[in-house]
Amino acid sequence: MTEQLNYNTRIIDASETIPVRHPVLRPGKPIESCNFDGDNLETTFHLGIFLNNQIVGVVSYFKNCNDLLTESSQYQLRGMAVLEDFQGKGLGNLLVQQGDTLLREKKIKTLWCNAREVATTFYQKNNFTIIGEPFNIKDIGLHYVMYKTLT
Ligand SMILES: CC(C)(COP(=O)(O)OP(=O)(O)OC[C@H]1O[C@@H](n2cnc3c(N)ncnc32)[C@H](O)[C@@H]1OP(=O)(O)O)[C@@H](O)C(=O)NCCC(=O)NCCS
């Protein structure tokens, strides 16, 4: 708990996500595989969590609608990643909570993501619910669409 006092969260550029996206989400793959379509759009934003000046976790938010959901003001959460040595310390929770706050300020009502099977519990603990059937993303594996309503 004391350790968490040294962490701070802030908006970052897309390029700052790469030192976390690469080892956590695309290990052994070319660095270009860490760039997502829409990373630099004006409607996209990225959050980083830092320990002193070291970035240890990232998450990105894209203005994007999923046909499984009816609400028109939707955002998609992507690239959720915490460096392995820093996982399990509550940093993922902090990032999601901060993202929710910023989305509420933008009057966004629904947040969704394509959740890796291994991460579904993490998202459930952050109030996301599975909708629809699981599907496969090539080279990554089984995913579920998960969403939550921001109240
Ligand atoms: C998923 C990930 C972002 C979670 O970040 P984190 O900082 O480790 O998560 P937290 O410590 O904030 O955990 C939050 C809660 O989720 C739970 N949780 C986190 N990862 C979990 C996992 N893999 N399995 C089960 N529960 C998990 C924690 O136990 C915790 O529960 P609690 O609030 O009841 O204590 C991180 O583990 C990660 O980067 N994993 C690899 C990449 C990945 O799978 N990203 C998601 C892509 S869809």
Side-chain angles (χ1 to χ4, degrees), residues 8-26:
N8 64 82
T9 309
R10 62 175 163 81
I11 297 268
I12 56 172
D13 291 336
S15 59
E16 293 178 90
T17 65
I18 306 301
V20 182
R21 281 186 187 172
H22 195 220
V24 180
L25 297 173
R26 301 285 187 271

Side-chain angles (χ1 to χ4, degrees), residues 24 80-82 87-93 116 118 122-123 125:
V24 180
M80 175 84 237
V82 172
Q87 291 175 9
K89 297 174 185 289
L91 305 185
N93 277 354
R116 293 179 182 199
V118 289
F122 166 75
Y123 289 114
K125 294 206 168 195

Side-chain angles (χ1 to χ4, degrees), residues 86-151:
F86 295 87
Q87 291 175 9
K89 297 174 185 289
L91 305 185
N93 277 354
L94 286 176
L95 282 168
V96 171
Q97 285 161 15
Q98 183 66 29
D100 287 359
T101 300
L102 295 174
L103 291 167
R104 283 192 191 95
E105 284 172 15
K106 293 175 186 292
K107 312 282 183 230
I108 300 304
K109 292 278 188 288
T110 301
L111 177 63
W112 65 275
C113 65
N114 291 326
R116 293 179 182 199
E117 192 174 26
V118 289
T120 52
T121 306
F122 166 75
Y123 289 114
Q124 273 159 354
K125 294 206 168 195
N126 279 283
N127 302 319
F128 285 80
T129 304
I130 290 174
I131 185 169
E133 297 301 317
F135 60 97
N136 195 57
I137 295 183
K138 190 173 172 291
D139 297 334
I140 304 179
L142 203 61
H143 283 70
Y144 292 82
V145 176
M146 297 186 77
Y147 78 101
K148 70 169 159 185
T149 303
L150 296 165
T151 51

Side-chain angles (χ1 to χ4, degrees), residues 67-83:
D67 290 342
L68 292 172
L69 301 162
T70 50
E71 174 65 53
S72 59
S73 69
Q74 298 181 28
Y75 257 71
Q76 180 183 7
L77 177 159
R78 294 190 68 192
M80 175 84 237
V82 172
L83 290 180

